[in-house]
Amino acid sequence: MAFTRDDALALLDQYIKNEKMKYHCLASEAVMRALARRLGRDEEKWGLAGLLHDIDVELVNADLNVHGLEAEKILADRGIDPEIISAIKMHNEQAAGIKRSTEFEHALAAGETITGLITATAMVYPDKKVASVKPKSVTKRMKEKAFAASVNRDYILECEKIGIPLDEFVQLSLQAMNEISGSIGL
């Protein structure tokens, strides 16, 4: 039996208690699905990677020395496509100990990271809504190293390694996050 999105959501609920982290995972799923459509890849597969990429973050207390490695253990025995597990492990190169090399790995690193910058940008808007954020605001914030300083701009720029220029990537990501923001109250 194939591992489904419903299975992934149940697993997410089991391991992630923080609502903001759940939103980040859902936003990452939306961005990954949009990237898959844009690149002609498997939308379900890429969506699952986005949804589950931080499955171990609370378990490891966001320790970047092990984050991703525990996710690999959690997911390995559940019949999940090994490519999904690999991309999830590789979204944190620090723990993996090797560099990302595949389109899927670069897409997940860029896709999940841009959600943080977009969310941080929304928080400086009066209504704090993703729907209010303009693409130019996000690209402007990319250049401001002190703004959302924990967001790794180099990871976001990996969008170019998958053939998507930054401006298009920001637009695609914003649109994807806007499509889900109403259903989850943001």
Side-chain angles (χ1 to χ4, degrees), residues 33-143:
R33 285 178 175 278
L35 287 171
R37 283 190 301 272
R38 163 66 172 75
L39 296 169
R41 304 296 180 258
D42 184 331
E43 189 176 331
E44 290 304 312
K45 182 178 188 173
W46 284 40
L48 284 175
L51 190 57
L52 295 172
H53 79 282
D54 275 345
I55 195 76
D56 68 348
V57 75
E58 291 178 4
L59 184 68
V60 301
N61 201 27
D63 181 349
L64 293 180
N65 293 310
V66 292
H67 173 48
L69 301 179
E70 289 301 313
E72 182 179 34
K73 293 175 188 173
I74 292 167
L75 302 174
D77 296 330
R78 289 188 161 81
I80 297 171
D81 184 323
E83 266 191 292
I84 294 172
I85 296 172
S86 178
I88 289 170
K89 176 182 171 183
M90 290 304 301
H91 93 276
N92 178 20
E93 287 178 327
Q94 182 174 328
I98 55 176
K99 297 284 184 192
R100 286 183 282 278
S101 61
T102 70
E103 178 186 59
F104 195 13
E105 293 167 357
H106 291 302
L108 182 56
E112 74 93 7
T113 305
I114 192 74
T115 67
L117 187 61
I118 290 170
T119 301
T121 303
M123 292 302 111
V124 300
Y125 277 65
D127 66 1
K128 301 189 181 327
K129 301 283 186 189
V130 170
S132 298
V133 176
K134 305 291 183 255
K136 283 186 178 185
S137 295
V138 178
T139 53
K140 176 184 165 197
R141 297 292 185 178
M142 274 286 290
K143 298 171 189 157

Side-chain angles (χ1 to χ4, degrees), residues 3 7 15 22 24 47-49 51 80 96 100 102 106 109 134 147 149 153-154 157 160 170 174:
F3 191 84
D7 295 330
Y15 282 91
K22 284 182 184 179
H24 166 67
L48 284 175
L51 190 57
I80 297 171
R100 286 183 282 278
T102 70
H106 291 302
K134 305 291 183 255
F147 180 81
R153 271 65 170 173
D154 291 336
L157 290 172
E160 295 172 349
V170 168
L174 256 174

Side-chain angles (χ1 to χ4, degrees), residues 10-26:
L11 197 59
L12 199 67
D13 281 339
Q14 182 182 342
Y15 282 91
I16 304 295
K17 303 305 178 201
N18 181 294
E19 289 303 316
K20 289 181 181 179
M21 182 55 66
K22 284 182 184 179
Y23 168 73
H24 166 67
C25 292
L26 289 165

